[in-house]
Amino acid sequence: MDWIFEARWSPYAAGIGIGVLSWFTFLLSNKPIGCSTAFARTSGMFVRIFRGKKIDEMPYYKQFSPSIDWEWMLVLGVVLGGFISARISGDFSIQVVPAMWAASFGSAPFPRILTALAGGIFLGFGARWSGGCTSGHGISGTLQLAISSWIAAVCFFIGGIASAFIIFKVIG
Amino acid sequence: MLNVIHTKKGLQLFLGFLFGILFGIFLHKGGATKYDVIVGQLLLIDFTVVKIMLSAVITGMIGIFAMKSFGWVELHPKPGSWGSSAIGGLIFGIGFATLGYCPGTIAGAVGNGYIDAATGGIVGILIGAGLFAAIYPRLMNGILRKGDFGDITIPKLIKVPECIIVPIVATFLVFILLALESKGM
């Protein structure tokens, strides 16, 4: 049972685990694994605080109502699952600046958090523009052989690889 | 039986949470909750993320198409268009590299104790999703519809039965993984 406490598994073991998990989400919940819609719903909940009932007239929130659903609970579960796994693996650590970032841009927290904010804005915006993320399109959509998901997944990596090279080889 | 389970709202919320916990454990154990692993993938020096994704796709695809042939599950392919899938994908890619997490792995990164994910990253995704919702009315009948192809799948597009396409795609993806391993990547 030592494998439960290992800090890292083979990426293939983790991937096969996610694949088998998706069998059960389809079977028991009739749903593919996805994460980015939960963020859209949550942002809608915040908008509702400020704009009240006006939100119900916004076309986007008519499609994705700002409420807690299966996928929202899934994302919440990922936080807990990540925490449990990190704790039992002895890998939990409070860390602001990742090592690779620090090696190129220094260990000051503020620039990293600000960059994460900017990156998050692009990520959240792009995920809703394309209709999914690395889980919803990249894994769940491609495994259903959906054309939209194969195009989106390839573009995630084209955009990501180009941007990573600019950030670390040109700027950094 | 399954239909009854699918319609029980409280049970579904619980199942979503339970599946999320397992997903979070797999993402963490695979290393995908780490900025260095994700950025390492995008810099093409660490192929962990691609290995996780492709082995998940191969496993999931074979199981789900097998269950579909028994009539146990149905597919949920997302609709798309060049304007939505390709342009949205490229914008996502910019965020993917700049943030160093994605919407699923960032939740695991928060559980891992990573403050950049829990503060800037999460707030950024919420702002980005909110901005999209705000400008959606101006995009929905324009760019998002450019080159619309609906929710079509590869077997339907090329009119070849799933029982032939699935083994071909699975074999192709296994070859990609074998090629990565043989190159020591």
Side-chain angles (χ1 to χ4, degrees):
Chain A
M1 291 291 275
D2 285 347
W3 55 273
I4 290 180
F5 303 103
E6 277 171 25
R8 286 279 285 274
W9 291 351
S10 149
Y12 302 114
I16 290 168
I18 294 168
V20 171
L21 181 66
S22 74
W23 301 351
F24 287 96
T25 68
F26 270 85
L27 197 61
L28 298 178
S29 293
N30 195 25
K31 281 192 167 57
I33 292 172
C35 294
S36 68
T37 321
F39 288 90
R41 292 186 201 278
T42 309
S43 77
M45 292 178 208
F46 283 111
V47 175
R48 180 181 278 149
I49 295 173
F50 298 105
R51 302 193 58 188
K53 284 209 181 304
K54 276 211 166 133
I55 193 169
D56 298 323
E57 296 157 25
M58 292 175 70
Y60 197 77
Y61 295 119
K62 274 185 190 161
Q63 274 186 51
F64 299 97
S65 82
S67 56
I68 291 171
D69 70 337
W70 184 89
E71 194 171 307
W72 202 94
M73 294 300 290
L74 182 95
V75 174
L76 190 67
V78 173
V79 178
L80 182 61
F83 175 73
I84 293 170
S85 182
R87 283 308 295 258
I88 62 173
S89 316
D91 181 49
F92 181 85
S93 66
I94 299 291
Q95 175 206 82
V96 182
V97 182
M100 222 161 160
W101 171 274
S104 288
F105 301 102
S107 52
F110 195 62
R112 170 58 198 147
I113 290 176
L114 209 63
T115 309
L117 179 77
I121 294 174
F122 276 101
L123 194 81
F125 190 84
R128 296 331 305 153
W129 187 304
S130 74
C133 62
T134 355
S135 336
H137 268 318
I139 295 177
S140 304
T142 52
L143 73 81
Q144 298 177 71
L145 300 173
I147 298 287
S148 63
S149 297
W150 279 87
I151 294 171
V154 168
C155 290
F156 292 165
F157 280 93
I158 294 174
I161 290 167
S163 308
F165 272 84
I166 291 169
I167 293 166
F168 280 89
K169 309 283 174 183
V170 181
I171 304 170
Chain B
M1 174 64 186
L2 285 170
N3 283 334
V4 177
I5 294 175
H6 295 166
T7 51
K8 289 207 157 85
K9 200 160 183 278
L11 173 67
Q12 283 306 320
L13 291 179
F14 171 74
L15 282 175
F17 188 57
L18 190 69
F19 291 140
I21 293 173
L22 292 168
F23 190 37
I25 292 173
F26 292 133
L27 288 175
H28 171 264
K29 289 288 190 183
T33 59
K34 293 177 177 23
Y35 174 94
D36 291 358
V37 172
I38 291 179
V39 171
Q41 173 64 68
L42 297 176
L43 291 171
L44 307 177
I45 49 181
D46 177 345
F47 280 77
T48 301
V49 173
V50 164
K51 288 175 187 175
I52 294 173
M53 287 179 73
L54 292 187
S55 45
V57 169
I58 296 164
T59 311
M61 177 176 64
I62 293 170
I64 282 161
F65 278 97
M67 291 192 293
K68 178 177 176 274
S69 72
F70 299 133
W72 296 354
V73 300
E74 50 191 83
L75 296 186
H76 302 276
K78 295 187 180 198
S81 66
W82 286 102
S84 150
S85 311
I87 296 173
L90 292 172
I91 299 170
F92 181 95
I94 297 170
F96 195 17
T98 314
L99 175 56
Y101 308 102
C102 39
T105 60
I106 197 168
V110 170
N112 219 146
Y114 302 151
I115 305 298
D116 56 337
T119 57
I122 294 276
V123 173
I125 299 178
L126 292 175
I127 294 173
L131 278 177
F132 183 79
I135 66 159
Y136 178 69
R138 277 185 242 169
L139 304 174
M140 61 187 194
N141 293 320
I143 184 110
L144 294 176
R145 290 265 176 89
K146 276 270 182 318
D148 200 337
F149 42 72
D151 61 356
I152 197 160
T153 60
I154 296 173
K156 278 193 185 138
L157 180 74
I158 59 175
K159 296 188 178 69
V160 177
E162 288 163 358
C163 60
I164 294 171
I165 292 291
V166 168
I168 291 173
V169 174
T171 310
F172 172 67
L173 297 180
V174 168
F175 269 108
I176 293 178
L177 292 173
L178 289 173
L180 285 175
E181 290 298 332
S182 74
K183 292 219 156 92
M185 291 200 282

